[in-house]
Amino acid sequence: MNRSNNLGRLALTMSFALLLSACSIFRQAPQKTDGPPPELSKPEKEEPKKPVEEKPAARAPFNVPAFAKEVKKDAYNVAIFAPLYLDSVFANGLEIPGRTMPRYVLAGLEFYEGAQLALDSLSRLGVKLNVQIFDSKSRTNDAASLIRNRRLDNTDLIIGSVSAPEIKVISDFAKQKEINFVSATYPNDGGISSNPFFLITNSTLRSNVEAVHDYVQRGFANKNIVVVRRNTPFEAGIYNNIKAAYDKMNYDKKSRVRELIWSDATTESQISQLLLADRPNVLIVTALDEAGAKNILRKLSTQRATYPMHVFGMPTWDVMKFKEPEFEGMTMYYTSPYYNDKTDVYSKYLTDAFRHKYKSRPSDMAFKGFEATWYFVKALAQDGVYFNKDLNKPGNRLFTTFNYQPVYLQENAEMPDYFENKNIYIIQKGDSADFKMNAIN
């Protein structure tokens, strides 16, 4: 990525952020690129809507009274949070020391840029919005200050690439004001509960390991399943989630799950005692860190000649590179709620628009910013403020198939604690590209 382009983009973002922190605006569309893809063509003209139209529905979906309302507006108020770190980067003015942009800025910057391109496209389709962009890492306009100063009171939708601690602050506000808050990138519930207005897009680790268990049980006709974990409370918790998934699974061909507690002293003999030569050995490795995962895989690799094996890792394996000779030919998989081979018409449109506007290629964060903004603002425009009764419209799909489901942390709870994307892709690592294994449209 060109460094001077990055500096220009960040300075531009700084000026936008200063303006957006003072008022609600919707930016003019950029110069024409090639226009949206054919599927994004202008809709048929609709009769003008009243500024606010509110009707009670027959019953409350998910036992949430607000979800029973139909609240439609002529223009909607949207707040987008991204970690831009503008206070740090521009602490001494608009000049960046050394003309080098910190790497920690890039993820939030590209999420914002992807979101902005989605807003521009929706604007061209006639969707009327008042949009505020906030730096979630601002020291002067942090989430708590914005809430205290009533800057978010009239918001109809919040979309955030945020993490702890601001995710809890925003979630508590969203619950109090009954505003849908979409957590677009954080793979954790942040300790949040009893908030049906909170939506998690980047699925939690528990959902990922449940999906692995379901896939290996159904995907292998005759298998030996072994969970390989280190002796830590965190990895014991992952194993317990797999055990719980096994207990809940209603499948007459499921195989029992065995456990290998790993340490640096684990011997090849101890490993081989749990492996079988006449069937696939499905090994679920719970290490999230690269050093720990590779340490385990090195010892497992010595058993491959005798015992056929398939190794399933954690979502963090997405960015890991297993180029060492001892891993050659080892069949490895990981999970992710996102999969995009970037060959579809929407991806091509975003790539072209990003290159035209920002003079660079979009990262995965740009795709996530575009997708989350498009998906939920489209739902807002279609169904109004409380679109929750129909979160999984196939027609709104761009790159990813979402499957938002209510999560109940306590048995017999009346209302969901939150909604979470439960669609998990099983992806096989390849030498030059990764491949989706489970058939999800």
Side-chain angles (χ1 to χ4, degrees):
M1 186 179 294
N2 186 283
R3 192 177 303 280
S4 62
N5 285 343
N6 283 337
L7 294 172
R9 288 159 54 196
L10 190 57
L12 182 64
T13 300
M14 176 63 176
S15 62
F16 279 137
L18 291 173
L19 179 59
L20 288 166
S21 66
C23 62
S24 298
I25 67 168
F26 188 83
R27 283 179 50 197
Q28 295 294 319
Q31 293 181 344
K32 179 176 176 62
T33 55
D34 293 322
E39 288 78 359
L40 306 185
S41 57
K42 290 185 178 180
E44 296 180 2
K45 292 184 178 180
E46 299 180 356
E47 293 297 322
K49 298 184 178 70
K50 298 178 182 178
V52 178
E53 185 178 330
E54 183 169 336
K55 300 177 183 178
R59 67 181 185 85
F62 306 104
N63 292 316
V64 181
F67 293 174
K69 300 175 184 177
E70 184 179 279
V71 182
K72 293 189 175 181
K73 299 182 178 182
D74 183 57
Y76 294 96
N77 303 314
V78 178
I80 297 178
F81 284 83
L84 300 171
Y85 296 93
L86 298 177
D87 292 341
S88 300
V89 177
F90 297 103
N92 299 313
L94 292 180
E95 282 295 320
I96 301 176
R99 304 290 295 168
T100 301
M101 186 166 65
R103 292 183 62 85
Y104 61 78
V105 173
L106 288 176
L109 174 62
E110 296 212 345
F111 181 88
Y112 155 75
E113 290 170 337
Q116 185 63 63
L117 287 172
L119 293 169
D120 292 337
S121 297
L122 289 161
S123 178
R124 288 196 291 272
L125 293 181
V127 178
K128 296 179 181 178
L129 301 167
N130 300 306
V131 180
Q132 296 185 95
I133 308 294
F134 295 109
D135 180 2
S136 63
K137 296 299 182 181
S138 172
R139 292 190 293 267
T140 54
N141 281 316
D142 62 305
S145 298
L146 295 169
I147 292 167
R148 186 169 56 252
N149 295 328
R150 308 180 69 86
R151 296 280 301 281
L152 301 176
D153 278 8
N154 295 321
T155 305
D156 299 312
L157 172 66
I158 302 172
I159 300 172
S161 176
V162 294
S163 56
E166 58 267 18
I167 192 169
K168 182 68 164 59
V169 174
I170 299 172
S171 173
D172 289 346
F173 169 79
K175 177 182 177 181
Q176 177 192 358
K177 296 292 186 178
E178 298 187 334
I179 300 168
N180 280 311
F181 168 36
V182 179
S183 175
T185 58
Y186 192 50
N188 197 304
D189 62 18
I192 293 165
S193 62
S194 304
N195 184 1
F197 301 92
F198 181 51
L199 297 97
I200 299 174
T201 298
N202 193 0
S203 313
T204 62
L205 182 58
R206 179 174 61 186
S207 293
N208 278 268
V209 299
E210 288 173 349
V212 167
H213 173 263
D214 184 79
Y215 181 81
V216 301
Q217 290 284 6
R218 299 180 189 276
F220 295 86
N222 192 21
K223 65 273 185 185
N224 174 43
I225 303 174
V226 181
V227 176
V228 183
R229 71 168 182 89
R230 292 172 294 190
N231 192 21
T232 67
F234 181 80
E235 293 193 24
I238 296 176
Y239 175 64
N240 289 333
N241 287 333
I242 295 173
K243 281 175 44 181
Y246 174 87
D247 292 338
K248 289 189 298 183
M249 187 178 198
N250 184 18
Y251 182 55
D252 57 4
K253 296 181 181 179
K254 67 181 181 181
S255 299
R256 70 189 180 109
V257 177
R258 297 192 291 172
E259 177 187 29
L260 172 60
I261 300 178
W262 184 274
S263 74
D264 290 339
T266 299
T267 65
E268 293 184 9
S269 174
Q270 289 172 311
I271 297 170
S272 63
Q273 287 176 11
L274 292 172
L275 302 180
L276 300 174
D278 62 345
R279 67 195 65 188
N281 293 278
V282 179
L283 304 166
I284 303 175
V285 179
T286 60
L288 272 69
D289 61 297
E290 185 167 352
K294 287 185 174 180
N295 184 36
I296 293 170
L297 290 175
R298 283 189 183 94
K299 284 191 178 179
L300 293 179
S301 67
T302 63
Q303 307 285 327
R304 283 188 296 143
T306 305
Y307 305 102
M309 61 178 65
H310 297 259
V311 180
F312 287 79
M314 297 292 102
T316 52
W317 290 29
D318 177 11
V319 296
M320 295 182 191
K321 304 296 183 184
F322 298 96
K323 299 295 186 182
E324 292 84 346
E326 58 265 42
F327 304 137
E328 185 177 355
M330 181 174 278
T331 306
M332 290 183 279
Y333 312 82
Y334 64 92
T335 60
S336 176
Y338 301 100
Y339 179 80
N340 183 6
D341 60 12
K342 299 177 183 175
T343 59
D344 61 280
V345 65
Y346 299 106
S347 296
K348 291 176 181 177
Y349 165 69
L350 177 59
T351 300
D352 291 343
F354 204 90
R355 183 181 295 114
H356 177 86
K357 186 172 180 62
Y358 301 117
K359 312 302 181 188
S360 65
R361 296 175 58 187
S363 69
D364 286 344
M365 285 297 288
F367 280 91
K368 290 174 183 178
F370 186 94
E371 182 171 49
T373 303
W374 173 271
Y375 192 91
F376 285 101
V377 172
K378 190 77 179 292
L380 188 70
Q382 290 170 334
D383 297 331
V385 173
Y386 299 110
F387 48 73
N388 306 70
K389 57 183 172 290
D390 193 8
L391 289 172
N392 301 308
K393 286 187 174 180
N396 289 352
R397 182 189 186 278
L398 291 184
F399 323 123
T400 305
T401 298
F402 293 128
N403 179 24
Y404 289 93
Q405 294 297 324
V407 174
Y408 300 88
L409 299 178
Q410 301 293 330
E411 290 187 15
N412 303 318
E414 293 187 1
M415 291 193 304
D417 287 282
Y418 49 78
F419 285 79
E420 181 183 353
N421 172 30
K422 291 289 188 176
N423 179 56
I424 306 294
Y425 294 95
I426 307 296
I427 302 173
Q428 182 176 345
K429 292 195 76 71
D431 292 336
S432 57
D434 295 347
F435 305 94
K436 179 180 67 174
M437 301 301 296
N438 46 342
I440 301 175
N441 297 320

